[in-house]
Amino acid sequence: MLAFLIILAANAVATNQDWHPAVDPALLRQIRQDSPAGLMSVSNGAPVTYCEVNSTLNKPLIRNSFLMDHVTSMDRERTCVRTVHGQGSGAFGFFKVTHDLSHICKASFLKEIGKKTPVAARFSSGIAEKGGSELSREIRGFALKFYTDEGIFDIPGIVTPMFVVKNPLYFVEFIHAIRKNPALYLADPMKLWDFVIKYPEAMHTFLLMFADRGIPLSFANMPCYNVHSLQVENEAGEVHFIRFHIEPFEGIKHLTTAEAQKINAADLDYYTRELYNRIKKGDYPRWNVSVQIVSEEDVQKHGGLMFDVTRVLPKCDFPLHLLGEIVLNRNPTNHFAEIEQLAFCPANLVNGILGAPDKVYEARRFAYADAQLYRLGPNVQKIPVNCPLHVPTEYSESPGEPVSYESTNKRGLLKIKEEEPYNYDQAAELYENELTGDERTRLHENLILAISPASEFVRERVIEILEMIHPDLAYQVAKGLTSTMAE
Ligand code: HEM
Ligand SMILES: *[C@@H]1O[C@H](CO)[C@@H](O)[C@H](O)[C@H]1NC(C)=O
Ligand SMILES: *[C@@H]1O[C@H](CO)[C@@H](O)[C@H](O)[C@H]1NC(C)=O
């Protein structure tokens, strides 16, 4: 009897309507909601008997719609992986305003104290491949999507407050330098040093990566920096620039290389598991959202330095202004639908935030959208997790009435003149004043470990760069290398 049990769809709901549900989305939603859960069907919705479902052996494949449906959808169920930051996981929650910023920026989600905006967050390895270990030393990504009531605002940020290069052309070279060697498909850490020798400005970021920042204790201990100074305006049209700093309540904390190796032996997915379990338990991770504020006068005084992504804005001159907090309180229920298909783009901006004037930003505006057209297809913004919450309707309210053109006379992005990067002063400052004594020692050890396999020529060039940053840094690393070589 069971073999012929056919569960009929709840189509009865539809039949007594004169309107076909396909042309009435609200009705269609209603019917779907009322459909019995667990109904087995082929993809056109036709119900299937248990018998059909489990007897494949004696039936020609082409006439077995259930099997065909299953196999063809599996054949296509993976979309192409992100070209960088491929490995990652995420969660959902909200941003809550605690301090008003409307005198600087008119973006609606920053306005009223207490206002909540839904957010999606994705934590990623920069270069580690999907399915591999999460625990390698990396410049990790921490991307945020704000579903504001005036559209989507994205911050695809990283864990260092500065970036590797200021010329976007070198980004491609950088990515190729940290990927596996294309000939052998083996990790080739020496390519990184070839890159550093060519672009020594990268060493500012790598100092932090080889100190503790490269391996976080957990995702909940990771900060997120936007690195760009975004041009914003208030209701009066006055312009400022803001740099986002999003820092964990529990502090920025790390694992040492040895601790990470030990955990790695037991659990390759350590960070994802930790985040998932923590949220499941109700122990929600939180971050403070602050900005550094740069005025037009500051720009006149300091010029391009205010926009150089390889540099930080010194906190003594540009203190942090707290705006609010982010709480992540929901795990994804479907990793593919909600995390894999998430698409962050620096060009997703809202009223009041105009973007950043630097060239890396300009290149990123294009690159992410381009990558997503390839990775997720032309409907990327319509995928539920990327979809804006509110679609404004005010433009469709005057049927037939032509609206005369009025220039809104919007100010464009500031034009800046960029110069060759120079950041040794800040790298020295980081080494001397910001790293603690213990962290400096771990930096030396990690650098020695990473440089020792390089050729003598490369080692010498790297030491020259370290020398320009700080004589003690060069001395300690050179000393360590000599004793490693002597063994
Ligand atoms: C010229 C410079 C850069 C280029 C061309 C570039 C390009 C890209 C591309 C094509 C993706 C994949 C997008 C996707 O498939 O969804 C990506 C992902 C990402 N990038 Fe960049 N990037 C650059 C610099 C940066 C900087 C400066 C940061 C951080 C401050 C950053 C953070 C990220 C993050 C976090 C992701 C992963 C987003 C996610 O979780 O889905 N990138 N980048
Ligand atoms: C497959 O269907 C037959 C009825 O044709 C039933 O007796 C059998 O238990 C089913 N097997 C499974 C694994 O469901
Ligand atoms: C976050 O902000 C609160 C004030 O609301 C402050 O007490 C705390 O120290 C901040 N934490 C971090 C990590 O900045």
Side-chain angles (χ1 to χ4, degrees):
M1 225 37 229
L2 194 66
F4 294 97
L5 176 65
I6 298 176
I7 311 167
L8 283 169
N11 279 345
V13 190
T15 48
N16 51 21
Q17 308 285 342
D18 10 351
W19 208 221
H20 190 278
V23 292
D24 183 345
L27 179 57
L28 188 60
R29 253 195 318 277
Q30 179 66 43
I31 291 170
R32 285 191 173 144
Q33 256 162 26
D34 295 345
S35 294
L39 176 73
M40 278 192 288
S41 68
V42 280
S43 54
N44 74 340
V48 170
T49 65
Y50 283 117
C51 184
E52 265 178 293
V53 168
N54 81 0
S55 66
T56 55
L57 294 179
N58 295 315
K59 204 166 179 184
L61 178 63
I62 201 77
R63 275 198 274 125
N64 189 337
S65 306
F66 196 75
L67 176 65
M68 286 291 274
D69 262 11
H70 267 55
V71 174
T72 52
S73 81
M74 188 211 67
D75 292 345
R76 293 160 178 79
E77 75 191 9
R78 295 269 183 269
T79 51
C80 127
V81 174
R82 290 167 178 83
T83 179
V84 286
H85 297 267
Q87 184 193 54
S89 48
F92 300 84
F94 60 85
F95 163 72
K96 189 171 100 183
V97 179
T98 56
H99 296 73
D100 188 81
L101 192 70
S102 52
H103 58 295
I104 303 288
C105 175
K106 66 181 176 190
S108 68
F109 77 109
L110 298 174
K111 261 180 190 165
E112 297 152 42
I113 292 177
K115 182 168 185 170
K116 281 187 180 180
T117 296
V119 299
R122 183 172 178 271
F123 305 88
S124 55
S125 299
I127 208 71
E129 295 190 13
K130 235 179 141 47
S133 162
E134 289 188 341
L135 287 128
S136 45
R137 191 166 288 283
E138 286 252 26
I139 301 169
R140 284 185 170 68
F142 179 169
L144 285 162
K145 182 180 288 296
F146 297 79
Y147 302 87
T148 89
D149 47 17
E150 289 186 345
I152 301 275
F153 173 61
D154 286 342
I155 302 182
I158 43 170
V159 292
T160 54
M162 74 300 267
F163 192 58
V164 178
V165 286
K166 102 181 240 190
N167 185 335
L169 188 60
Y170 307 153
F171 178 78
V172 178
E173 217 172 321
F174 167 55
I175 293 307
H176 291 165
I178 55 182
R179 277 207 185 127
K180 286 188 178 181
N181 183 310
L184 306 168
Y185 202 56
L186 289 173
D188 183 357
M190 291 313 105
K191 288 194 297 161
L192 175 75
W193 298 114
D194 291 340
F195 180 83
V196 169
I197 293 170
K198 253 172 111 178
Y199 308 108
E201 68 270 23
M203 208 55 218
H204 191 201
T205 310
F206 292 144
L207 279 188
L208 261 190
M209 187 187 91
F210 281 106
D212 289 346
R213 195 63 62 89
I215 316 183
L217 178 60
S218 76
F219 286 154
N221 295 103
M222 264 169 60
C224 163
Y225 301 101
N226 188 31
V227 310
H228 302 284
S229 302
L230 293 173
Q231 184 170 334
V232 296
E233 57 186 23
N234 60 15
E235 291 294 353
E238 290 157 350
V239 166
H240 288 84
F241 303 88
I242 59 176
R243 269 204 197 191
F244 278 95
H245 290 240
I246 298 166
E247 294 180 329
F249 262 47
E250 294 174 24
I252 303 173
K253 292 186 187 154
H254 308 101
L255 293 168
T256 63
T257 310
E259 284 165 342
Q261 279 169 353
K262 202 166 148 205
I263 295 171
N264 193 42
D267 188 357
L268 299 179
D269 303 314
Y270 177 71
Y271 293 131
T272 298
R273 200 182 313 283
E274 202 273 346
L275 179 71
Y276 176 82
N277 286 334
R278 170 194 287 263
I279 293 178
K280 199 170 139 198
K281 277 200 317 242
D283 178 13
Y284 303 138
R286 285 161 183 264
W287 286 262
N288 277 353
V289 179
S290 314
V291 288
Q292 289 179 293
I293 301 172
V294 175
S295 65
E296 286 189 284
E297 297 78 69
D298 294 323
V299 174
Q300 271 153 18
K301 204 156 110 199
H302 305 289
L305 289 184
M306 298 289 95
F307 303 100
D308 185 338
V309 295
T310 73
R311 297 178 65 84
V312 295
L313 301 177
K315 284 203 188 131
C316 50
D317 303 329
F318 303 96
L320 293 184
H321 296 264
L322 189 63
L323 304 185
E325 61 178 44
I326 285 177
V327 179
L328 295 183
N329 59 6
R330 180 174 81 75
N331 278 316
T333 50
N334 180 315
H335 178 83
F336 179 80
E338 295 179 283
I339 304 299
E340 219 33 41
Q341 295 199 102
L342 258 177
F344 299 90
C345 179
N348 285 341
L349 300 169
V350 292
N351 188 24
I353 306 181
L354 285 83
D358 65 278
K359 267 288 175 301
V360 167
Y361 179 82
E362 202 176 313
R364 292 182 76 197
R365 266 192 95 108
F366 163 76
Y368 290 60
D370 183 45
Q372 288 153 9
L373 283 174
Y374 174 62
R375 177 166 82 82
L376 298 165
N379 291 317
V380 52
Q381 298 276 38
K382 299 201 178 73
I383 294 171
V385 80
N386 300 321
C387 213
L389 282 189
H390 309 271
V391 183
T393 51
E394 53 192 277
Y395 299 106
S396 55
E397 268 171 12
S398 53
E401 274 296 308
V403 180
S404 62
Y405 174 75
E406 258 181 81
S407 168
T408 48
N409 198 17
K410 260 195 173 169
R411 268 184 73 166
L413 276 182
L414 182 80
K415 286 200 178 55
I416 58 169
K417 186 170 174 290
E418 297 197 71
E419 279 153 15
E420 287 303 306
Y422 179 86
N423 56 28
Y424 294 140
D425 57 329
Q426 290 197 340
E429 164 79 18
L430 171 69
Y431 181 74
E432 204 169 292
N433 298 328
E434 285 167 43
L435 300 183
T436 64
D438 287 353
E439 204 174 353
R440 269 202 293 273
T441 309
R442 289 192 291 271
L443 168 66
H444 302 149
E445 287 165 4
N446 290 330
L447 279 176
I448 292 161
L449 200 71
I451 303 169
S452 57
S455 70
E456 185 146 5
F457 173 83
V458 170
R459 286 202 305 268
E460 279 169 11
R461 296 294 89 72
V462 174
I463 298 292
E464 279 168 22
I465 292 167
L466 299 182
E467 180 78 43
M468 288 194 277
I469 294 172
H470 202 286
D472 178 61
L473 173 62
Y475 171 75
Q476 297 293 345
V477 173
K479 194 175 77 175
L481 283 176
T482 320
S483 61
T484 318
M485 294 302 127
E487 274 163 22

